[in-house]
Amino acid sequence: MLDIARSWVQQSQRIAVLTGAGVSAESGVPTFRDAQTGYWAQFRAEEMATEEGFRNHPERVWKWYQYRRDLLASVQPNAAHGALADFEQHHPGRLTLITQNVDGLHQRAGSSGVLCLHGDILENRWLDTPRACCHIADAVKGEPPYCDRCGNLVRPGVVWFGEALPHDTFAAAQLAVHQCALMLVIGTAGAVYPAAGLARQARSAGARVVVLNPAPSELDDAAHAVLRGAAGSLLPQLLAV
Ligand code: OAD
């Protein structure tokens, strides 16, 4: 199956790639479903990744994001990130990389133009619409930092459950999916929409779809081929064309 998928990579002038947390697993970043370890195990991901959860427990949620930011500072991109960046470099203009990850590891591996559907964990923005008094650089240190004039809180620049994806980024992802001949779906459980819907859109638009995941995913039925294994070992083989 790997050989067949590799021949599709060779034949396809345009390739769209959707990555999820699994692509960073071999860097030592826990996947979303596995992220709740140690102290954080007592909270559900949804409690920590919604506006309501942040408003109810701003300090707790902020600390969780700080914990994940600190973890990212100590990890490196892995062979899967590297294979995608190398392919882009050797085949300019053929690959559009769409990610649900907020960890910045694709960019650190050298990929450019990454379409980050769920934002960037290293960025901050205001929770409420900023007033004239709100300047991020002036936010008073705290957990979370805040505006000492109006009390507005700083929040991480990620997309939480129930929030819209960045409009232009999602539009660019949809365009890439409609124009591609091959879509690779790597390391995602395929459970969170609208991101997961991109794979089905690609198939409906006539593209071949390949899922790469060591475990069953909710997008396996949308795939022409399923490659079972870890992204760090399979992706370099798949993209070495
Ligand atoms: P999940 O944590 O739901 O799923 C991770 C997937 O990676 C699973 O299907 C694993 O089998 C797979 N996996 C594990 N190790 C792997 C490896 N070495 N190589 C390849 N795959 C591996 O993460 P996502 O599907 O990315 O959204 O989650 C999607 C979204 O749900 C996240 O972006 C986040 C979350 O809620 C928001 O925060 C909005």
Side-chain angles (χ1 to χ4, degrees):
M1 200 47 95
L2 180 63
D3 286 341
I4 293 172
R6 198 193 284 120
S7 74
W8 293 345
V9 171
Q10 270 162 345
Q11 292 159 19
S12 302
Q13 189 50 35
R14 282 176 185 253
I15 302 172
V17 179
L18 175 68
T19 65
V23 83
S24 297
E26 289 156 87
S27 291
V29 182
T31 62
F32 218 84
R33 309 301 151 205
D34 294 337
Q36 269 55 31
T37 53
Y39 170 77
W40 302 107
Q42 59 189 304
F43 309 113
R44 289 183 306 123
E46 287 76 2
E47 282 180 74
M48 312 295 275
T50 59
E51 182 183 326
E52 192 188 0
F54 185 73
R55 286 189 189 278
N56 288 341
H57 300 284
E59 185 179 349
R60 177 202 292 167
V61 173
W62 181 260
K63 281 184 169 164
W64 184 59
Y65 280 91
Q66 289 298 88
Y67 158 78
R68 292 169 59 203
R69 287 169 168 175
D70 290 347
L71 189 136
L72 285 176
S74 66
V75 305
Q76 298 298 327
N78 65 53
H81 301 106
L84 288 161
D86 285 351
F87 188 91
E88 179 195 317
Q89 200 185 352
H90 292 119
H91 305 274
R94 280 180 63 195
L95 186 146
T96 302
L97 180 50
I98 307 161
T99 189
Q100 299 166 86
N101 299 344
V102 296
D103 57 28
L105 289 176
H106 285 306
Q107 295 89 327
R108 282 168 58 188
S111 288
S112 61
V114 185
L115 298 174
C116 297
L117 297 180
H118 293 163
D120 179 345
I121 196 171
L122 298 179
E123 285 183 3
N124 285 326
R125 59 188 173 86
W126 294 108
L127 176 61
D128 291 312
T129 307
R131 302 171 186 89
C133 55
C134 299
H135 302 286
I136 284 278
D138 298 337
V140 173
K141 278 200 175 16
E143 293 183 318
Y146 60 96
C147 173
D148 68 346
R149 296 202 179 84
C150 71
N152 203 354
L153 299 178
V154 172
R155 58 163 282 183
V158 300
V159 175
W160 281 330
F161 289 103
E163 294 182 329
L165 304 194
H167 180 269
D168 292 354
T169 305
F170 190 58
Q174 283 185 302
L175 185 66
V177 158
H178 281 272
Q179 290 179 337
C180 73
L182 175 67
M183 174 140 189
L184 307 178
V185 180
I186 304 164
T188 178
V192 173
Y193 284 76
L198 292 170
R200 296 187 192 284
Q201 286 176 34
R203 178 152 186 156
S204 303
R208 288 195 175 105
V209 176
V210 174
V211 162
L212 193 166
N213 199 311
S217 84
E218 294 188 25
L219 291 172
D220 290 0
D221 67 306
H224 297 88
V226 177
L227 304 178
R228 284 274 174 258
S233 54
L234 284 184
L235 204 50
Q237 299 177 59
L238 180 63
L239 295 181
V241 294

